[in-house]
Amino acid sequence: MSETILILGASGQIGNELTQELRSIYGNSSVIASDIKEGNEEMMSSGPFEIIDATDKETILKMVKKYKVSQVYLLAAMLSATAEKFPQKAWDLNMSSLLGVLELAKDKHIKQVYWPSSIAVFGPTTPKENTPQKTIIEPSTVYGISKLSGEFWCNYYHEKYGVDVRSLRYPGVISWKVKPGGGTTDYAVDIYFKAVEEGNYECFVSKETRLPMMYMNDAVAATIQLMQAKPEDVKIRTSYNLAAMDFTPEEMAVEIRKHIPNFKVSYKPDSRQEIADSWPSSIDDSEARKDWNWQHKFNLTSMTSDILKNIQN
């Protein structure tokens, strides 16, 4: 079955790599990338690109009709650290974009919707270790509140109108291709660049802060696998827990020193520490593994060696 896919927020950290992977699977002309500004050279030259504000439902509908779109991946969002500075703006972007796309799906303009959630839905009262799929969810950040609300809107539109909407709660996602965009787990990306470029790094969370993480390759693979799963295998319509590994900044540094022996890290926690402290240290994603056979490929060792090799090249 051929799909025509529209990606909203394609220039972001996940959108960028997801776009290229989807183009390699479905064909360049079948994946329409969009964002509020132009993407990088690879994105602009490899397939169609449209300037779209993700909160502009009418323009989205116009593009859906123009390209005969069957799937929308809504990735546009204001992330955790940035959202704390602009709460109202973050809520407006994160919520109105989702409700607009869900309405288009309800009215049968789109067949399938993908919308990412995050471990930010969890809060200080959530069990920290091996956080289960169903647990106490009391987020303490603007980003977390919007993701929690979004999960239940997704479930509501599925239950009430039969909308085929699917979602993953991403842990921290680590990539070397696109610099991070204002998230609390950005240190886990910055640390690699600083290791190669400067040989030292000042980390904005403490050395013992353990958080669930995932290499971008696994995040992209999980997203596509969920979207390709049979509807009857997708049993959770709020959002699936997703996991691959968990570690502290100090454990990252130890791994990096296997490649760059003189690498030094200092610690100067800032406002992002409080956000990190409110999140789980590890995630139980057994539901995803059971329902649609999710399996990660990368751990800290294999990810570190892959990232450093690519940055050095």
Side-chain angles (χ1 to χ4, degrees):
M1 174 66 188
S2 67
E3 300 286 355
T4 306
I5 296 166
L6 172 64
I7 301 178
L8 299 163
S11 297
Q13 191 197 16
I14 292 172
N16 201 60
E17 296 191 43
L18 184 61
T19 300
Q20 299 311 327
E21 188 58 28
L22 285 168
R23 281 178 173 169
S24 76
I25 294 168
Y26 294 102
N28 288 354
S29 60
S30 297
V31 180
I32 298 89
S34 77
D35 213 307
I36 47 169
K37 57 183 190 303
E38 288 197 346
N40 61 20
E41 195 189 338
E42 183 185 27
M43 184 176 294
M44 301 303 290
S45 62
S46 64
F49 186 94
E50 298 280 354
I51 300 280
I52 303 177
D53 174 347
T55 62
D56 183 353
K57 186 179 150 197
E58 294 313 309
T59 301
I60 295 170
L61 178 57
K62 209 161 79 183
M63 293 305 158
V64 165
K65 288 177 171 170
K66 175 180 171 182
Y67 291 102
K68 298 183 174 58
V69 168
S70 57
Q71 289 185 352
V72 171
Y73 285 68
L74 171 56
L75 306 176
M78 194 179 288
L79 300 183
S80 56
T82 314
E84 289 303 298
K85 295 175 190 152
F86 309 103
Q88 185 75 51
K89 231 170 159 176
W91 176 259
D92 291 345
L93 168 61
N94 296 1
M95 283 296 95
S96 57
S97 58
L98 174 61
L99 287 167
V101 168
L102 288 173
E103 277 291 304
L104 294 178
K106 180 192 103 173
D107 296 338
K108 304 286 186 274
H109 295 296
I110 310 159
K111 199 177 83 212
Q112 222 181 351
V113 176
Y114 177 77
W115 176 81
S117 188
S118 158
I119 57 166
V121 296
F122 303 121
T125 53
T126 304
K128 279 269 186 233
E129 286 171 34
N130 231 16
T131 303
Q133 175 68 43
K134 290 196 164 149
T135 185
I136 299 163
I137 300 186
E138 295 180 334
S140 57
T141 63
V142 175
Y143 182 60
I145 293 165
S146 72
K147 287 300 181 188
L148 174 61
S149 307
E151 285 191 15
F152 284 92
W153 277 119
C154 288
N155 193 62
Y156 179 83
Y157 271 79
H158 174 70
E159 296 285 327
K160 186 109 174 163
Y161 308 115
V163 170
D164 186 358
V165 57
R166 306 177 181 199
S167 178
L168 295 169
R169 288 174 183 155
Y170 290 124
V173 177
I174 302 171
S175 157
W176 55 271
K177 284 190 182 173
V178 176
K179 293 281 176 88
T184 300
T185 54
D186 285 357
Y187 69 85
V189 180
D190 288 337
I191 194 168
Y192 289 112
F193 283 95
K194 291 288 196 299
V196 172
E197 291 160 8
E198 296 168 27
N200 60 74
Y201 177 60
E202 184 177 272
C203 186
F204 58 74
V205 297
S206 70
K207 62 160 63 176
E208 62 279 340
T209 303
R210 178 173 298 280
L211 287 171
M213 299 280 187
M214 174 172 280
Y215 194 24
M216 179 65 79
N217 305 38
D218 277 335
V220 166
T223 306
I224 295 169
Q225 192 183 338
L226 175 64
M227 285 297 274
Q228 290 177 341
K230 294 192 202 101
E232 61 269 22
D233 291 340
V234 183
K235 298 186 168 58
I236 291 167
R237 297 291 181 156
T238 45
S239 190
Y240 275 97
N241 274 5
L242 192 70
M245 51 183 137
D246 55 84
F247 48 75
T248 65
E250 192 60 25
E251 286 165 0
M252 290 189 91
V254 168
E255 208 54 54
I256 291 170
R257 284 187 202 109
K258 293 177 185 173
H259 305 264
I260 304 169
N262 297 327
F263 177 55
K264 289 184 178 57
V265 183
S266 57
Y267 296 91
K268 194 179 175 187
D270 64 15
S271 59
R272 289 168 283 193
Q273 181 69 52
E274 198 180 334
I275 300 175
D277 288 342
S278 74
W279 290 350
S281 55
S282 60
I283 299 284
D284 173 3
D285 65 351
S286 50
E287 299 290 327
R289 292 176 192 266
K290 181 178 90 231
D291 289 356
W292 40 276
N293 198 29
W294 156 244
Q295 289 165 10
H296 69 283
K297 290 197 174 128
F298 286 86
N299 60 20
L300 179 57
T301 303
S302 54
M303 176 182 75
T304 298
S305 109
D306 196 62
I307 290 179
L308 290 175
K309 185 180 74 198
N310 279 296
I311 294 176
Q312 282 157 340
N313 288 345

